[in-house]
Amino acid sequence: MSNSNRTAKRKTGRTTSAQGRRRKPRPEPVPPEIRTIRGLESQLATARQQLRIERQKRSQAESELHLAEQSLETFQQTQGSIRPRRTGRRRSVRRGSATAILCCNDWHVEGCIKPAAVDGANRFDLDIASQRIRRTWQKALYLLEFSRNISDIRELVVWLGGDLINGTIHEELEESNFLGPAEAVMFVQDHVSGGLDLLLREAGVDRLTVVTSYGNHGRSTRRRRISTGYRHSWEWLAFQNLSRHYRSASKVTFQVTEGYHNWLDIQGCDVRFHHGDAVRYAGGVGGITIPLRKKIAQWNKRRPARFDVLGHFHQFIDAWDYIVCGCLCGYDAYALEIGAEYQPPTQTFAVIDRAYGKVLTVPIFVEEST
């Protein structure tokens, strides 16, 4: 092939390639009316987004306004409690119906706690147990009078929540306890009846209801019984004895149950009392709250409760729908061994209002002030 032919072929190829590129279809121009429609659609989408944001802001503002109105109403209803008390005759003010609850649990009255066994954090014997029980009744009267600045309280519930005696469920307790189970039961009965008599004289209530729960320490068997636990409980026997002692008292009602749960309607709220040993806790970062929440959720499937009241764990925890009550005996060698959180010995006082539910929960510090 001659040079002229090769040159012509190369020129022809380039020409063909250029013509191929020119043959590609160009995008048609968008008509003005389409551009206008797309612009309006974009503006509409933006406006809708802004409308959603404004609605969310309005909803949040309405919620905050509602909370502010509730707070103002509550303050107006209770402002009398923060005003200085005037001298002279006290004016009667009715602020709604409410019931006070005094929680008495985990006394372990005959237990022995030596300072050397708990790094000096606590001491407990029969004399100290008696002193702390007396402070429980006395401070309950003070808290009852204090709460009447907020609500009209004419009913008092006393919960005897179990483990009032230390028992002999472990061999170590047989050696260290100051009393045997029968003696400890008599000790508890005397102190409970003395406290109830004081409340009947001084509390100024129309009705006193005693609701009971037997614990795991007061049993006469080595292993915990489920359906027949009450038959082997020294505490259940003490509750029955106290119930018979007060059967002629018109203001006193005992509610002693054979089962684990003891239900009581308080100001229209279903309250589930139980000792707490059915909640299994084997340690963990979340503490007892996680297994307790799971247990309550399962129980509520069968019968919902507004509040749960329990003890057993020797610590005070107040939540929106449950109360875990502290113990009278205080920090002991077992708590030190498992690394439990230190808390001073306490009992618990609460108020349930008909309109607002649980409005007050406070620990009663029963240790002698230093």
Side-chain angles (χ1 to χ4, degrees):
M1 183 181 293
S2 63
N3 292 334
S4 59
N5 291 338
R6 292 192 187 97
T7 303
K9 186 176 182 180
R10 285 197 297 270
K11 290 182 179 180
T12 304
R14 285 197 298 270
T15 303
T16 303
S17 177
Q19 291 176 353
R21 286 196 298 270
R22 286 195 299 269
R23 289 172 184 172
K24 289 183 179 179
R26 295 181 178 178
E28 296 181 0
V30 179
E33 57 273 14
I34 299 298
R35 289 199 299 268
T36 303
I37 292 174
R38 291 179 179 175
L40 293 175
E41 289 177 345
S42 177
Q43 293 178 10
L44 180 60
T46 303
R48 285 175 176 172
Q49 179 66 19
Q50 292 177 350
L51 180 60
R52 284 195 293 267
I53 295 174
E54 293 301 325
R55 284 176 177 173
Q56 291 176 357
K57 290 181 179 179
R58 178 179 176 181
S59 177
Q60 183 178 358
E62 289 177 348
S63 177
E64 293 176 354
L65 177 60
H66 180 66
L67 292 176
E69 290 175 346
Q70 285 185 336
S71 299
L72 178 60
E73 181 182 356
T74 303
F75 174 76
Q76 289 174 344
Q77 291 178 351
T78 60
Q79 62 179 344
S81 63
I82 60 175
R83 291 176 178 173
R85 179 172 293 183
R86 298 178 180 178
T87 58
R89 186 176 180 179
R90 181 179 179 180
R91 187 175 66 178
S92 177
V93 179
R94 301 301 184 191
R95 296 187 177 90
S97 177
T99 299
I101 306 174
L102 173 60
C103 302
C104 302
N105 60 285
D106 295 279
W107 286 3
H108 297 271
V109 292
E110 78 276 30
C112 175
I113 302 177
K114 297 181 179 180
V118 290
D119 296 335
N122 189 25
R123 179 194 298 272
F124 191 71
D125 54 34
L126 292 174
D127 290 336
I128 295 175
S130 296
Q131 295 168 10
R132 292 180 180 178
I133 293 171
R134 284 195 294 269
R135 291 191 193 98
T136 299
W137 307 124
Q138 294 166 358
K139 290 190 175 184
L141 288 173
Y142 168 80
L143 290 170
L144 180 61
E145 186 64 20
F146 169 80
S147 301
R148 283 181 170 140
N149 289 308
I150 302 175
S151 300
D152 180 30
I153 301 176
R154 307 302 303 172
E155 298 177 354
L156 176 62
V157 173
V158 175
W159 176 53
L160 303 178
D163 280 5
L164 301 182
I165 71 172
N166 208 28
T168 56
I169 61 174
H170 306 303
E171 293 183 359
E172 180 182 357
L173 300 181
E174 295 178 356
E175 299 178 5
S176 61
N177 285 346
F178 288 107
L179 300 173
E183 296 170 308
V185 164
M186 296 175 62
F187 186 91
V188 166
Q189 289 180 177
D190 290 343
H191 281 75
V192 170
S193 60
L196 295 180
D197 290 343
L198 176 65
L199 295 177
L200 287 172
R201 291 194 310 267
E202 305 293 340
V205 294
D206 299 330
R207 183 172 61 182
L208 194 157
T209 302
V210 181
V211 58
T212 68
S213 301
Y214 56 85
N216 60 303
H217 265 260
R219 66 179 186 262
S220 60
T221 57
R222 290 296 180 186
R223 297 181 63 85
R224 179 174 175 264
R225 304 292 174 90
I226 306 301
S227 61
T228 61
Y230 73 98
R231 293 183 178 180
H232 308 278
S233 172
W234 288 97
E235 293 173 323
W236 190 83
L237 175 62
F239 300 153
Q240 293 289 354
N241 291 338
L242 288 165
S243 177
R244 295 183 180 187
H245 176 73
Y246 285 97
R247 60 188 170 188
S248 60
S250 59
K251 290 186 177 181
V252 181
T253 301
F254 267 76
Q255 184 168 297
V256 183
T257 182
E258 296 178 357
Y260 176 74
H261 290 148
N262 202 344
W263 292 82
L264 188 64
D265 184 317
I266 302 178
Q267 296 295 336
C269 300
D270 282 337
V271 181
R272 180 168 48 207
F273 293 92
H274 51 102
H275 176 65
D277 54 312
V279 181
R280 298 302 182 187
Y281 170 60
V285 177
I288 68 170
T289 57
I290 295 176
L292 177 57
R293 283 288 182 196
K294 293 171 64 176
K295 201 75 170 183
I296 290 176
Q298 293 299 320
W299 286 333
N300 284 344
K301 291 180 180 179
R302 171 62 182 86
R303 180 180 175 183
R306 180 74 177 275
F307 304 109
D308 277 77
V309 179
L310 62 146
H312 181 65
F313 294 100
H314 291 206
Q315 56 183 296
F316 173 78
I317 304 174
D318 179 31
W320 184 254
D321 56 347
Y322 66 78
I323 306 171
V324 181
C325 304
C327 64
L328 185 97
C329 60
Y331 199 72
D332 59 9
Y334 179 73
L336 179 68
E337 174 69 19
I338 65 175
E341 175 189 1
Y342 171 80
Q343 287 189 0
T346 61
Q347 298 291 268
T348 307
F349 182 88
V351 176
I352 293 181
D353 186 89
R354 181 166 292 275
Y356 299 104
K358 180 162 61 72
V359 295
L360 178 68
T361 309
V362 293
I364 302 175
F365 295 96
V366 297
E367 196 172 17
E368 183 177 7
S369 300
T370 57

